Amino acid sequence: MQATPASPDAPPVLPADTPIHPGWLRVMHWLNALAVVVMVMSGWRIYNASPLFDFVFPKEITLGGWLGGALQWHFAGMWLLFFNGLLYMAMNLATGRLWRKFFPLSARGMAADLGAALRGRLSHADPRRYNHVQRLAYLFVMADIAVLVLSGLVLWKSVQFDLLRELMGGYEAARRVHFIAMALLTAFVAIHLVMVALVPRSLIAMIRGK
């Protein structure tokens, strides 16, 4: 009997002994997690010094103690996120992991996997493969972090990055872009933690690699 050809949207078949996450990825994942926690908590303290909206964040969940301290923490987290993120992208491109893990991505595959997820029937049988929902979510967070970095540059060095500032609609608009990107990143982290709680072996894989 002739084998049925694989769907163009199907992920590549990987050998059974392929590690779920290589060592370099696990290290970068935890460094990114640390950078995000530092940046978000210190960013909330910076926001409180000049709120955009009619609320502030409780000081108990902020980092830095005061504006100057929060700025120091924020810059430390920024450089860690920036350089770790660049290395992460370089390694993903150099090893081909970016294409293997996150592509192909199609509307048909997204609709099928999203429908399965909403019915509680989305399979996690092979943690080495990302479904379409995961692929889109991870690609989104990569783009969101890039927006965070670019808008952050405008807030940090507005005069030096004047073209970028104008492309974002001005300094105040860049503040809003930065805040919205932070809120979306925080939402991603919250959903990510829920999924880890539902599929705890994903946490083990990110620690041990298998």
Side-chain angles (χ1 to χ4, degrees), residues 101-144:
K101 283 287 190 179
F102 306 115
F103 296 96
L105 188 65
S106 69
R108 181 180 63 182
M110 269 296 304
D113 284 348
L114 185 58
L118 293 174
R119 296 192 303 271
R121 297 179 180 176
L122 190 59
S123 174
H124 297 280
D126 188 354
R128 294 170 300 170
R129 296 174 180 168
Y130 292 153
N131 58 59
H132 280 72
V133 176
Q134 288 174 304
R135 295 178 208 177
L136 182 62
Y138 288 127
L139 289 171
F140 162 77
V141 81
M142 291 178 203
D144 187 59

Side-chain angles (χ1 to χ4, degrees), residues 6 59 81 95 104 178 205:
K59 63 179 182 180
L81 185 68
T95 62
H178 198 68

Side-chain angles (χ1 to χ4, degrees), residues 2 17 27 42 44 58 80 86 102 114 117 119-120 129 132 147 153 180 201 208:
Q2 185 177 4
D17 59 348
V27 171
S42 60
W44 288 344
L80 176 59
L86 281 182
F102 306 115
L114 185 58
R119 296 192 303 271
R129 296 174 180 168
H132 280 72
V147 171
L153 289 174
I180 292 170
R201 67 175 175 171
R208 298 177 54 197

Side-chain angles (χ1 to χ4, degrees), residues 73-190:
W73 277 106
H74 206 66
F75 287 137
M78 176 192 72
W79 289 118
L80 176 59
L81 185 68
F82 178 74
F83 287 115
N84 195 57
L86 281 182
L87 186 56
Y88 170 84
M89 290 303 300
M91 288 295 294
N92 270 279
L93 289 169
T95 62
R97 183 180 181 274
L98 183 70
W99 314 113
R100 290 196 309 271
K101 283 287 190 179
F102 306 115
F103 296 96
L105 188 65
S106 69
R108 181 180 63 182
M110 269 296 304
D113 284 348
L114 185 58
L118 293 174
R119 296 192 303 271
R121 297 179 180 176
L122 190 59
S123 174
H124 297 280
D126 188 354
R128 294 170 300 170
R129 296 174 180 168
Y130 292 153
N131 58 59
H132 280 72
V133 176
Q134 288 174 304
R135 295 178 208 177
L136 182 62
Y138 288 127
L139 289 171
F140 162 77
V141 81
M142 291 178 203
D144 187 59
I145 288 175
V147 171
L148 267 172
V149 171
L150 292 175
S151 57
L153 289 174
V154 172
L155 303 184
W156 178 39
K157 296 287 187 179
S158 181
V159 175
Q160 289 85 344
F161 293 97
D162 56 334
L163 177 59
L164 187 57
R165 182 190 67 227
E166 294 309 312
L167 289 174
M168 289 191 176
Y171 183 84
E172 287 301 318
R175 287 189 69 198
R176 284 168 171 75
V177 169
H178 198 68
F179 184 91
I180 292 170
M182 177 278 299
L184 291 172
L185 178 60
T186 305
F188 169 85
V189 171

